[in-house]
Amino acid sequence: METDEEQRVLPFQLQFDKPVTSQIKIAEWNPEKDLLAMVTEDSKILLHRFNWQRLWTISPGRCITSLCWRPDGKAIAVGLEDGTISLHDVENGKLLRSLKSHTVAVVCLNWEEDGQLNRDDSPNLSTYEDRTPRFFPPAPRPPRTLGVVCGDTGFMDDNEDLYQELSNSSYQRFNVLCSADNDGNICFSIFGIFPIGKINIHKSSVSTPFVDKQSAHQLMNASIYKVALSKDLCRLIVMCSGELDENMTELRQSQMAAHGMNGSHGLVLDTSIFFNRKNELHQLAQQASNIEELTEVIRASLSVMIKQWSDAMRTFHEKFASLSTLIIDHALDSSPQEEFLSLLGGARTSPAVHQFLVNTLGEVGVKRVSKVVCGAAKELQRIVLDHMQPAAEIIAFRMGELRALSRWRARFQGIGLDEVLINNATERSGMILVQIERFMRVLASVEQQFSNFFNWLLKCIKLLMQEPSDQLLPYNSELVVIFLKFLYDQDPVSQFLDLSEVHNIEVDLETMQRVKELVQFGGFSDSEYLRRTLAKEFQEMECSFKEAFQMPFLSISRKIVCEDLLPLFPLPSSSASTSMIIPMSISYYEEVSESVSSCQHGLVDYICFQVPNEPTSNISNCIGIARGFMCNLSSLKKSQTSLEAVLLSIPAGYECVDLSLYKDTHIVLLLNGTVTSSESSGDACMMVVQARDLPFISLSRSSSLNVWTSHQLKDAVVQLQMENEKVRYIPHSVVAPLAVSASRGVACVFAARKRALVYILEEDEDESWIQNDLLFLGEFNHFAPQQIF
């Protein structure tokens, strides 16, 4: 007997025994690579290879509440307690983007891509090609901190690149990231970066065809456990707990009332807009997300430019401010400009100017200030030419594309692409280009004026010190006069970079009249843009973008509605339900059963959940499985039921710790032993059950709101037998999480003493189903290495 047990344990062999830094609370396998992302209790994210090589560790500085991989495995989404969703690069863990869609903790994430056939296999499927790369080089990135004073770490440097090709959706299949928070909000974002919809399950009502009077139902104080978007993007299943609120007196007198209105429920949200308009949404999200990236480039460019020019002007004024003090000390009734003009005109040099030029400032001081100011001007020109202007040009082109698309009302009105708002945003993107051109002209003029002024000062210092000055650059005396009259005290460059509401940019009347005449001919409707600064123009452009892209968000949100509700099992009380951690899993499989043939697009949903033990119920230690919940409601309205369910009774002496659905409708159960027996091979086990082989029974939806789903199944419970199922015994008790992947044959178990045990599931002839499966089993409660080896 002992030999047979040992042989059964052999396919589940220990491969690694490694330490971990802290207890693991979340774990997710990369869908494409041998990578395991883990979240520790101290909110650090660890990424390991299969051989337990750690690639990187990051700490967001806030509590991590959820984790999810992008379908291609190149990025990972992290939900935080403050409602932020941060996206990190799989290669190095660096932050790619932060999205603030929620205000409270993000409790669950689900990232799904278009699961239809490849576009090469669907010649009749229209696709969109991004034309921008045909006309423009690669998009610019934010300027680096070269030239910025030491200690400024607000921008990118050589070791930090926050703007990678996350939004390069030309090479991505259409995908949607779903996120849910503690307030019942569910948000949707295309490619994980472009918000496209939001729904609140507390405020959303569902009218089901299964009860009389077509009453509307709502969930009060609901907490979301899990969300799962179908592979065709048409339905979203939400597992949540809360109190069912509705007005039917019959319901209050029903069996559900005896158990209370509070319990765990399943919701189906109609997200078919993502499937029906995916090509249009794809191109909208692609253009909008790239525009957002480019606005970040302009914002960073403005920040660097303001910093550099203000530092240069501070240096200039600090050096030349001492001249005013010297003039006052020598009791001269004149200004620095007047003294300089007197020197330029050949009059006698005052003692104050002589002392300032020869002793206080000196030749070295003039050269230093000239290098700072002229160098800053050239750096600003480089930033504009290399970063700001290319970004603005690409933005204008992309807005032009959206402007053309918005005129196709028959196609794009359904997703909220408003022509008037897009036209306004397009005009703003054109205005920023005009302001950039004006700024460059002003900057070049100011740089020339400063350079000429400093050359003249060097000549003056040489003459005052009776030294030859032939080697110095020539200067223009007329430009010196202009500089002293207009630029010595005022700074036109900083005016363009100022965000002040007071527009002090003067424009002559003739120019304004010409602009107004152009407005009458059409093309743009704003005649006051000449008085705005570059920073203000950018702010108005950004506001117009947000307004234009808010319309698709609102339009899509209105089309996402709750269309079905399924009460699963009651919970003792609201306070108890909020603290309970109920193992649940949702997955979608291709249709194989005729009984669920009404499901759309050949997909069948499977919901697996643990039924909490109730003192007043005869159902205890059971696992519930339901399938066909999201099927087309049109068949249900015709009294055709497609929902099937079954209850599985856990073997005596065991309790469920965690569960997971995975490929081919297999269900993995992680069980802990409650009674130690000499005949048992261990304190815990992993059991794999084939769901398709279970005796599902059809549920009558006409009274589904009067009886909990679990209560309908109490007379049809399937007893699981250890000897009849595929079981892997573990010689220690275990806890959640359980993470399953169908790419390799590996299992990882974390020990209570902060040690990681990595198991591999090896194929044998009788159990070929276990090939290429990854399992992550929670930490051991009782760790004794000598018992394993």
Side-chain angles (χ1 to χ4, degrees):
M1 183 68 181
E2 183 177 355
T3 303
D4 295 338
E5 292 178 352
E6 291 178 353
Q7 290 178 352
R8 296 187 67 182
V9 176
L10 283 180
F12 193 35
Q13 294 182 350
L14 177 67
Q15 297 295 311
F16 301 105
D17 178 8
K18 302 293 183 181
V20 292
T21 57
S22 180
Q23 179 179 343
I24 304 300
K25 64 177 184 179
I26 306 174
E28 294 287 344
W29 286 101
N30 187 298
E32 297 293 334
K33 304 176 182 179
D34 290 331
L35 299 175
L36 177 65
M38 299 163 287
V39 177
T40 61
E41 282 193 334
D42 55 354
S43 288
K44 292 181 180 179
I45 305 177
L46 315 177
L47 187 70
H48 283 266
R49 292 188 185 276
F50 166 61
N51 60 4
W52 212 248
Q53 174 192 3
R54 183 182 299 183
L55 298 182
W56 45 258
T57 300
I58 58 175
S59 179
R62 288 158 290 178
C63 180
I64 301 174
T65 53
S66 53
L67 200 69
C68 180
W69 285 99
R70 196 169 73 177
D72 62 2
K74 296 181 179 179
I76 189 169
V78 180
L80 304 176
E81 62 177 347
D82 64 350
T84 302
I85 300 175
S86 60
L87 307 182
H88 297 263
D89 186 8
V90 67
E91 297 295 335
N92 44 35
K94 291 180 180 178
L95 180 66
L96 298 173
R97 177 71 67 87
S98 289
L99 189 66
K100 187 70 173 179
S101 299
H102 304 268
T103 57
V104 295
V106 181
V107 294
C108 57
L109 295 165
N110 177 241
W111 208 334
E112 191 62 57
E113 71 177 6
D114 178 18
Q116 296 300 303
L117 296 176
N118 294 330
R119 292 176 172 83
D120 294 338
D121 298 332
S122 303
N124 297 326
L125 183 63
S126 61
T127 58
Y128 172 73
E129 178 187 1
D130 185 10
R131 303 193 307 158
T132 308
R134 294 186 186 179
F135 305 99
F136 296 93
R141 301 193 178 195
R144 302 185 183 274
T145 56
L146 299 177
V148 181
V149 295
C150 182
D152 184 3
T153 59
F155 306 103
M156 297 169 54
D157 55 30
D158 292 334
N159 297 323
E160 184 178 12
D161 185 0
L162 305 184
Y163 296 90
Q164 302 190 17
E165 299 299 327
L166 178 67
S167 62
N168 189 3
S169 51
S170 301
Y171 305 101
Q172 292 185 40
R173 299 184 68 177
F174 183 72
N175 60 74
V176 178
L177 174 64
C178 308
S179 57
D181 62 28
N182 277 329
D183 285 344
N185 295 306
I186 302 175
C187 297
F188 304 87
S189 57
I190 299 177
F191 306 120
I193 55 179
F194 179 62
I196 199 59
K198 181 178 182 179
I199 189 173
N200 187 290
I201 63 173
H202 297 167
K203 301 177 182 179
S204 301
S205 59
V206 52
S207 297
T208 62
F210 316 115
V211 293
D212 296 335
K213 300 181 182 181
Q214 301 276 316
S215 62
H217 312 275
Q218 287 184 327
L219 284 174
M220 308 292 292
N221 303 319
S223 298
I224 299 178
Y225 296 138
K226 190 179 291 291
V227 295
L229 189 64
S230 62
K231 297 183 184 302
D232 58 8
L233 309 181
C234 287
R235 297 290 186 273
L236 179 77
I237 294 181
V238 182
M239 304 295 290
C240 58
S241 65
E243 184 178 357
L244 186 64
D245 178 34
E246 62 90 40
N247 298 321
M248 291 183 58
T249 56
E250 292 86 355
L251 179 61
R252 300 186 185 278
Q253 300 172 359
S254 65
Q255 182 177 354
M256 180 180 286
H259 295 278
M261 304 286 287
N262 183 68
S264 181
H265 308 269
L267 296 177
V268 172
L269 303 186
D270 181 6
T271 60
S272 57
I273 183 70
F274 295 138
F275 175 81
N276 297 332
R277 311 302 286 269
K278 61 183 175 182
N279 292 318
E280 301 161 19
L281 291 174
H282 187 141
Q283 52 192 299
L284 171 63
Q286 177 171 311
Q287 300 287 17
S289 58
N290 279 276
I291 287 172
E292 185 177 353
E293 292 272 357
L294 295 168
T295 55
E296 291 294 334
V297 174
I298 298 180
R299 180 184 294 106
S301 299
L302 282 171
S303 300
V304 174
M305 291 162 62
I306 292 171
K307 176 70 174 176
Q308 292 186 334
W309 190 252
S310 61
D311 288 347
M313 288 297 97
R314 188 183 304 112
T315 302
F316 173 78
H317 290 299
E318 286 176 353
K319 292 296 183 181
F320 284 83
S322 58
L323 178 59
S324 299
T325 304
L326 289 173
I327 291 175
I328 296 174
D329 293 342
H330 286 83
L332 298 176
D333 189 13
S334 59
S335 65
Q337 290 93 323
E338 293 172 341
E339 290 294 323
F340 279 135
L341 287 174
S342 177
L343 175 62
L344 180 63
R348 183 177 179 181
T349 306
S350 66
V353 175
H354 188 283
Q355 181 180 347
F356 173 75
L357 294 177
V358 176
N359 300 327
T360 305
L361 185 61
E363 181 181 355
V364 176
V366 173
K367 291 182 178 180
R368 181 179 296 114
V369 177
S370 176
K371 181 179 180 180
V372 171
V373 175
C374 296
K378 294 184 182 299
E379 183 65 19
L380 262 62
Q381 291 175 339
R382 184 195 67 81
I383 291 175
V384 171
L385 294 176
D386 294 346
H387 301 276
M388 180 180 290
Q389 185 171 352
E393 290 173 350
I394 299 177
I395 287 177
F397 181 85
R398 290 189 176 278
M399 287 308 306
E401 295 274 278
L402 288 178
R403 185 183 184 186
L405 296 175
S406 67
R407 295 182 175 181
W408 291 19
R409 300 193 178 193
R411 290 187 59 192
F412 291 92
Q413 201 171 27
I415 62 173
L417 204 59
D418 185 83
E419 183 178 353
V420 175
L421 296 178
I422 293 295
N423 286 344
N424 180 55
T426 305
E427 180 175 315
R428 296 300 178 190
S429 63
M431 292 299 102
I432 196 73
L433 282 171
V434 174
Q435 294 292 44
I436 288 175
E437 183 181 354
R438 292 177 61 206
F439 174 78
M440 288 295 286
R441 292 200 303 265
V442 171
L443 180 61
S445 175
V446 170
E447 192 270 337
Q448 183 185 17
Q449 297 281 4
F450 269 110
S451 178
N452 185 78
F453 174 68
F454 292 133
N455 290 336
W456 171 69
L457 285 184
L458 287 174
K459 286 265 190 178
C460 293
I461 293 174
K462 291 288 188 180
L463 291 174
L464 293 175
M465 298 178 65
Q466 301 299 320
E467 294 182 0
S469 57
D470 295 338
Q471 71 276 17
L472 299 177
L473 295 175
Y475 68 92
N476 188 322
S477 59
E478 294 181 2
L479 293 181
V480 174
V481 174
I482 295 174
F483 176 84
L484 294 175
K485 285 184 177 181
F486 301 105
L487 298 182
Y488 186 83
D489 289 328
Q490 70 177 7
D491 179 11
V493 173
S494 63
Q495 293 176 8
F496 271 90
L497 299 176
D498 189 12
L499 195 56
S500 171
E501 293 292 339
V502 180
H503 304 151
N504 52 7
I505 298 179
E506 297 295 334
V507 183
D508 60 275
L509 295 178
E510 183 181 357
T511 302
M512 289 301 300
Q513 183 62 31
R514 291 182 59 188
V515 170
K516 291 180 180 179
E517 292 175 358
L518 289 174
V519 170
Q520 296 178 358
F521 285 102
F524 61 89
S525 59
D526 187 0
S527 61
E528 295 294 326
Y529 74 93
L530 293 175
R531 298 188 183 276
R532 288 194 291 268
T533 66
L534 180 61
K536 183 64 179 176
E537 194 67 57
F538 170 72
Q539 185 184 60
E540 295 200 2
M541 181 189 74
E542 192 175 23
C543 291
S544 70
F545 289 166
K546 291 181 179 179
E547 186 180 12
F549 296 141
Q550 183 69 11
M551 288 301 296
F553 180 89
L554 297 176
S555 299
I556 298 299
S557 298
R558 287 192 291 265
K559 291 177 171 61
I560 300 174
V561 295
C562 292
E563 64 177 12
D564 197 5
L565 182 146
L566 178 66
L568 296 174
F569 50 82
L571 293 173
S573 65
S574 299
S575 59
S577 63
T578 55
S579 60
M580 291 180 62
I581 300 178
I582 302 175
M584 291 185 175
S585 182
I586 309 173
S587 190
Y588 300 90
Y589 303 107
E590 293 185 2
E591 175 186 348
V592 294
S593 174
E594 295 181 357
S595 59
V596 290
S597 58
S598 60
C599 288
Q600 290 182 330
H601 307 297
L603 293 174
V604 180
D605 59 280
Y606 278 73
I607 302 174
C608 188
F609 53 90
Q610 181 181 9
V611 182
N613 296 331
E614 289 185 85
T616 60
S617 173
N618 55 358
I619 299 176
S620 62
N621 203 21
C622 285
I623 301 297
I625 306 172
R627 69 183 181 187
F629 178 34
M630 73 164 191
C631 290
N632 194 346
L633 292 183
S634 61
S635 61
L636 301 179
K637 294 178 181 179
K638 300 177 182 178
S639 300
Q640 297 176 359
T641 181
S642 61
L643 178 64
E644 300 177 333
V646 66
L647 274 183
L648 304 180
S649 178
I650 301 299
Y654 287 91
E655 60 180 3
C656 182
V657 175
D658 206 352
L659 53 84
S660 179
L661 289 157
Y662 80 122
K663 66 174 185 177
D664 299 330
T665 65
H666 286 104
I667 302 170
V668 182
L669 303 178
L670 190 61
L671 309 178
N672 257 346
T674 57
V675 179
T676 304
S677 173
S678 58
E679 298 179 357
S680 175
S681 300
D683 298 323
C685 71
M686 179 190 69
M687 179 183 293
V688 182
V689 180
Q690 171 59 270
R692 290 187 178 134
D693 298 336
L694 298 174
F696 283 89
I697 64 172
S698 297
L699 298 183
S700 173
R701 302 299 305 278
S702 61
S703 60
S704 62
L705 291 182
N706 296 331
V707 181
W708 297 98
T709 299
S710 58
H711 290 156
Q712 296 185 67
L713 303 172
K714 61 183 179 181
D715 296 330
V717 178
V718 176
Q719 300 290 332
L720 293 178
Q721 303 294 332
M722 302 293 289
E723 59 274 10
N724 296 334
E725 306 296 340
K726 296 180 173 61
V727 179
R728 297 294 183 270
Y729 292 98
I730 304 173
H732 303 280
S733 59
V734 294
V735 298
L738 167 69
V740 179
S741 174
S743 58
R744 296 291 183 273
V746 170
C748 301
V749 183
F750 282 84
R753 295 184 181 180
K754 297 181 180 180
R755 300 195 65 82
L757 307 179
V758 182
Y759 286 83
I760 184 169
L761 300 177
E762 296 183 347
E763 178 187 9
D764 58 37
E765 295 180 357
D766 298 331
E767 296 170 344
S768 58
W769 54 269
I770 206 65
Q771 183 182 15
N772 295 331
D773 292 315
L774 287 177
L775 292 167
F776 167 83
L777 308 181
E779 65 165 347
F780 280 108
N781 288 334
H782 306 289
F783 178 68
Q786 66 276 9
Q787 297 183 20
I788 297 178
F789 298 104

